[in-house]
Amino acid sequence: MASLIEPFAGARATEAAAGLIGRFGGLGRALAATPQQLLEALGGDVSLRDAIVAARTLMIAGLRERITRSVVRTDDPDFLHYLQILLAKAPVECLHVTFTAHDMGYLGDELIARGTIARLGIEIRHIFERAFEFGAHAIILAHNHPTGSSEPSARDVEFTRRIAALTSAVDIPLVDHLIVGAEHVTSMRARGLL
């Protein structure tokens, strides 16, 4: 990891890499960390934290640009890769929503909530607020399992069916709910769970 962050850290690369590995265990979780968590792992080095956050932001913007220029499909490798970069290594469950137009064109996406799936249930209102603000005709949910598994849990299925019923009632269908694991992304629609 030291060689990867050397352009940002210079002579501090080895020490910074040790701090990041000690705190997060690896690069993936370090890149998924909050700015405050990075700052703590880097011993308070604000400039290095800011450089890492900027590099991560730039990478995500490049990936997002690829999906904004085409129809959003839940089997598109670019879309799945984008979600994996955003969610796979996050240390807590994160709920992400992609908003689409009537022709499945990209309108926007955002992280709606962080926490457990039980806690994420309280964010349902925010999903609808954002969908209406975007003028969305459909949504795609995605969330990660910090364990790295992409297998839907019973709670995931219950939450998804609840959201699907609510979105259907306001004519903004739930296209899919994707479970993002460390290695794979599972479509609940493809599994017949939606």
Side-chain angles (χ1 to χ4, degrees), residues 37-160:
Q37 291 169 329
L38 283 172
L39 187 62
E40 292 166 6
L42 295 168
D45 188 333
V46 174
S47 64
L48 181 53
R49 186 264 327 255
D50 291 348
I52 291 171
V53 169
R56 175 178 61 197
T57 302
L58 192 60
M59 178 185 65
I60 290 169
L63 292 169
R64 180 179 286 133
E65 184 177 42
R66 293 180 79 163
I67 65 167
T68 63
R69 295 182 178 182
S70 61
V71 170
V72 180
R73 293 186 349 261
T74 60
D75 63 350
D76 176 12
D78 286 337
F79 182 61
L80 298 176
H81 181 66
Y82 173 67
L83 293 175
Q84 282 189 296
I85 293 295
L86 287 177
L87 302 172
K89 300 294 184 176
V92 296
E93 286 192 30
C94 299
L95 180 64
H96 180 271
V97 183
T98 302
F99 304 95
T100 66
H102 69 285
D103 60 356
M104 292 303 293
Y106 175 90
L107 293 175
D109 71 284
E110 63 185 59
L111 184 67
I112 295 289
R114 295 172 66 93
T116 65
I117 195 71
R119 184 192 163 299
L120 296 181
I122 66 170
E123 300 300 334
I124 292 172
R125 175 176 290 179
H126 190 59
I127 293 170
F128 286 103
E129 287 171 358
R130 297 299 291 149
F132 293 134
E133 288 170 10
F134 275 108
H137 287 258
I139 63 170
I140 300 166
L141 295 180
H143 88 274
N144 66 309
H145 286 164
T147 62
S149 170
S150 64
E151 287 300 310
S153 69
R155 276 191 168 174
D156 295 338
V157 174
E158 178 186 331
F159 177 79
T160 302

Side-chain angles (χ1 to χ4, degrees), residues 1 15-26 41:
M1 183 186 296
E15 179 185 344
L20 292 171
I21 290 169
R23 171 76 186 262
F24 304 110

